[in-house]
Amino acid sequence: MRREPPQRLVDYAPIAFPAIMLTVFFVIPFATMIAVSFFQRQQGGFYIPAFQLANYERFLSLFFANVLGFSLMLAIVVAICCVLLALPFTYLLARMSRKAQVVWLVALLSVLSLSEVIIGFAWSTLFSRTAGITNLLVMMGVMSEAKALLPSFGAVLTGMVYQAFPYTVLVLYPAIVRLDPTLTEAARTLGASPLKAFFTVVVPALRNTITATLIMVFIFALGSYLLPQLLGRPQHWTLSVLITDQAVYQSNMPFAAAMAVFLVLVTLGLVALTAFVGRKGEAA
Amino acid sequence: MNALRNLYFVVIGLFLALPLIVVAGVSVNEKQTLAFPPKGFSLSWYGEIFLNPEWRNALFASLTLAVCSAALAVAIALPLSWFLWRRVAPWANIFQLLGIAPFTLPPVITALGMLTFWATTGFYGQPWTAVISHAIFFVTLPLVTLSLGFTAIDRSLVEAAATMGADDRTIFRTVVLPLILPYIVSGYAFAFVLSLNEYIVAYMTVGFTVETLPIKIFNALRYGYTPTMASVTILFVATAAVIFSLVARFGDLPKLLGAMAADDK
């Protein structure tokens, strides 16, 4: 059957339901959010329609600049850690037997699907004084006394790397599986050690993939809304945490919406960058 | 070299498993404490999920939400991906993009969009609003698996059916549907598991009227720990692992995750 353009009205019927659903329940909510970002906050209630830039003007404070700077820095560190850990892992994974690959993929998907609430709870338990990893160290005689490792920046970073690591592997996986195995074979035949072959052949061949993955993991980490709150101190709160906080606890919807719009702009800019890098990669 | 590789995999495996091992240990404490290594052994905290009405209600709320929203997500994704496969209509790709957008953006944004939308339309807090919100949020997953499934269909099969006089409806039922079914199931499974675990969208839409399990765990985190949180966590991990293993057993997981080269091996 040839693919053909829809001709009669009935040909359009199948797309009607998805189109309506996505328009009504995604495009319109998105537009609502943008509209609300210009509204005026009402004490105790929600908001009243208005057009003011006050919500955006609040960005121009030192506090907000700090939060933004910290969010970006944290997401960059998480992205770099994840790619450093995941790149050799995925490369080795892709060369394992199919059966072993499936087992690891199931494990990674299971961790990836875990709620942030659950990841936060699990790590806060692991880092706690009563049930934490330090108890194991005490049992082994490495430490003299159990202590709490949170709240701290290290705890936030560990939790977020844990959350983003499976995602990183799954983003890298398709590109690495498709990598031509003869590339490394050639390097090995010419006398390169496996490590040398990895760094001089595989990594340069994947340069664009790595850049794109860094950006995608960065966006993923920007979205983390609970871990900084559960594992860190208030100075470790990110933009996503602040949006949740303003929307839910301070019930300042217009300001939350303005921050969300800002976050969308940052994200979209980065998605465009990823697409650009990806296209350049294909052309090369 | 092999030893080095194995060591690396053990370290990563430990990193992934360690929090879950500790949580599993905490979940079998005999008394209501979060001690590790556990003091005593008891499975009563697993029973608590089903016996304590608060946790049981949360479990049922989560299951209902996941079952319905995953079904709705598939119902949106199937006609859309079929249309894109069957017709030449470049303008329709915009809907594919709209389907993928909520999942690509930080989740807080979708959540806030939904919150302002339901508050403006006056339905804020109704349980069904969470079903629609989750379906839109997770429509990406069936959309991606189904698009993959449709590209894998050999068009000559469809051509043969058409030559022999089958119309679109018959072709869909007898040729396309059986071929696409594994992809429908895996798309549903992905959306189901993620919906079960989702917190922020559910919280911002129905957080004050319905308590799903992640919301319940978060509230418990704020107002006093109990080992039930640990047993629920283990239940969730086990559920996800079972469902993804089934997907792997009846489908081609490496291929679903984008490893097209899997067939050449």
Side-chain angles (χ1 to χ4, degrees):
Chain A
M1 173 166 41
R2 275 201 340 273
R3 286 178 79 205
E4 52 209 16
Q7 278 137 8
R8 291 162 304 151
L9 199 58
V10 66
D11 290 346
Y12 289 98
I15 204 172
F17 178 66
I20 291 171
M21 290 300 281
L22 287 168
T23 308
V24 173
F25 296 115
F26 181 67
V27 178
I28 295 181
F30 204 79
T32 317
M33 186 182 78
I34 296 175
V36 167
S37 76
F38 294 105
F39 284 4
Q40 171 146 23
R41 182 195 183 190
Q42 205 162 30
Q43 281 300 332
F46 271 139
Y47 37 79
I48 47 170
F51 183 80
Q52 54 172 25
L53 293 170
N55 303 309
Y56 289 92
E57 277 162 16
R58 280 184 71 177
F59 290 168
L60 302 171
S61 66
L62 189 63
F63 170 74
F64 189 81
N66 276 336
V67 171
L68 182 65
F70 179 77
S71 308
L72 297 178
M73 186 276 287
L74 181 63
I76 289 171
V77 175
V78 169
I80 292 173
C81 289
C82 281
V83 171
L84 283 181
L85 282 174
L87 189 62
F89 177 83
T90 316
Y91 177 71
L92 295 170
L93 179 72
R95 316 180 108 214
M96 288 168 91
S97 73
R98 198 185 147 76
K99 214 170 178 179
Q101 284 191 38
V102 168
V103 171
W104 275 101
L105 290 174
V106 167
L108 289 166
L109 280 172
S110 307
V111 172
L112 180 63
S113 65
L114 281 183
S115 175
E116 259 196 78
V117 180
I118 287 179
I119 295 176
F121 164 65
W123 279 99
S124 65
T125 313
L126 190 68
F127 283 148
S128 71
R129 195 176 52 79
T130 49
I133 190 162
T134 50
N135 287 287
L136 285 177
L137 297 177
V138 170
M139 259 166 49
M140 291 190 294
V142 183
M143 279 172 77
S144 59
E145 201 170 53
K147 65 170 193 169
L149 298 173
L150 82 173
S152 68
F153 177 75
V156 176
L157 187 62
T158 314
M160 285 176 67
V161 169
Y162 183 84
Q163 182 190 25
F165 176 80
Y167 180 75
T168 317
V169 174
L170 294 180
V171 171
L172 285 172
Y173 183 69
I176 290 187
V177 166
R178 278 175 228 174
L179 193 70
D180 189 353
T182 53
L183 275 179
T184 32
E185 272 163 35
R188 301 274 284 122
T189 321
L190 292 169
S193 70
L195 276 179
K196 192 167 182 194
F198 179 75
F199 284 110
T200 55
V201 177
V202 176
V203 173
L206 289 171
R207 207 177 46 230
N208 288 316
T209 309
I210 293 171
T211 315
T213 309
L214 276 171
I215 297 173
M216 286 183 72
V217 179
F218 174 81
I219 296 171
F220 185 84
L222 267 186
S224 183
Y225 51 84
L226 270 182
L227 295 176
Q229 201 181 346
L230 291 175
L231 302 172
R233 298 173 196 283
Q235 73 258 33
H236 301 136
W237 284 16
T238 59
L239 202 52
S240 284
V241 177
L242 217 61
I243 294 173
T244 318
D245 183 62
Q246 285 292 334
V248 179
Y249 301 107
Q250 320 289 332
S251 46
N252 189 346
M253 292 296 296
F255 185 44
M259 285 196 284
V261 170
F262 183 75
L263 188 58
V264 172
L265 293 178
V266 172
T267 314
L268 284 185
L270 288 165
V271 171
L273 197 64
T274 322
F276 178 71
V277 170
R279 192 155 309 150
K280 220 173 68 182
E282 268 164 36
Chain B
M1 190 59 203
N2 260 339
L4 203 66
R5 187 194 77 175
N6 290 343
L7 181 72
Y8 192 58
F9 273 73
V10 168
V11 170
I12 294 282
L14 262 183
F15 175 59
L16 292 177
L18 206 57
L20 301 173
I21 293 170
V22 171
V23 169
V26 167
S27 74
V28 295
N29 265 308
E30 208 170 320
K31 301 244 170 61
Q32 184 164 354
T33 84
L34 290 193
F36 185 85
K39 297 199 172 84
F41 180 85
S42 150
L43 289 176
S44 63
W45 301 110
Y46 287 88
E48 183 83 358
I49 306 171
F50 304 96
L51 296 177
N52 182 322
E54 277 186 31
W55 285 98
R56 194 177 50 212
N57 288 343
L59 178 67
F60 282 133
S62 275
L63 281 176
T64 316
L65 175 58
V67 167
C68 298
S69 63
L72 185 56
V74 170
I76 295 171
L78 183 59
L80 179 56
S81 46
W82 180 81
F83 186 84
L84 289 173
W85 171 78
R86 172 73 181 81
R87 303 283 171 199
V88 181
W91 51 268
N93 281 314
I94 184 85
F95 294 109
Q96 173 98 354
L97 204 65
L98 283 179
I100 290 171
F103 204 69
T104 319
L105 294 170
V108 161
I109 289 161
T110 309
L112 198 65
M114 290 298 178
L115 171 53
T116 53
F117 177 72
W118 297 120
T120 309
T121 49
F123 296 113
Y124 178 64
Q126 303 275 347
W128 54 266
T129 59
V131 173
I132 294 181
S133 306
H134 264 192
I136 298 290
F137 189 43
F138 292 124
V139 77
T140 312
L141 300 155
L143 208 53
V144 168
T145 59
L146 282 169
S147 308
L148 204 65
F150 277 116
T151 40
I153 291 181
D154 186 353
R155 278 188 193 269
S156 58
L157 284 177
V158 183
E159 195 110 24
T163 319
M164 288 155 106
D167 58 7
D168 255 355
R169 190 177 294 264
T170 317
I171 293 175
F172 184 79
R173 213 186 54 238
T174 56
V175 181
V176 175
L177 199 57
L179 286 172
I180 207 78
L181 197 62
Y183 298 91
I184 296 181
V185 173
S186 48
Y188 183 90
F190 282 113
F192 175 83
V193 173
L194 280 151
S195 165
L196 210 54
N197 276 286
E198 206 284 328
Y199 168 77
I200 191 80
V201 173
Y203 186 69
M204 284 210 187
T205 49
V206 296
F208 292 106
T209 48
V210 183
E211 224 177 13
T212 64
L213 271 180
I215 296 177
K216 174 84 186 142
I217 297 176
F218 185 68
N219 289 343
L221 266 175
R222 290 165 66 92
Y223 305 116
Y225 285 73
T226 142
T228 318
M229 296 153 69
S231 57
V232 169
T233 300
I234 297 304
L235 184 73
F236 267 38
V237 178
T239 311
V242 167
I243 290 178
F244 291 132
S245 305
L246 286 175
V247 169
R249 172 79 185 70
F250 295 105
D252 187 341
L253 197 60
K255 188 174 166 188
L256 266 180
L257 296 172
M260 292 303 189
D263 330 72
D264 323 330
K265 273 189 189 158

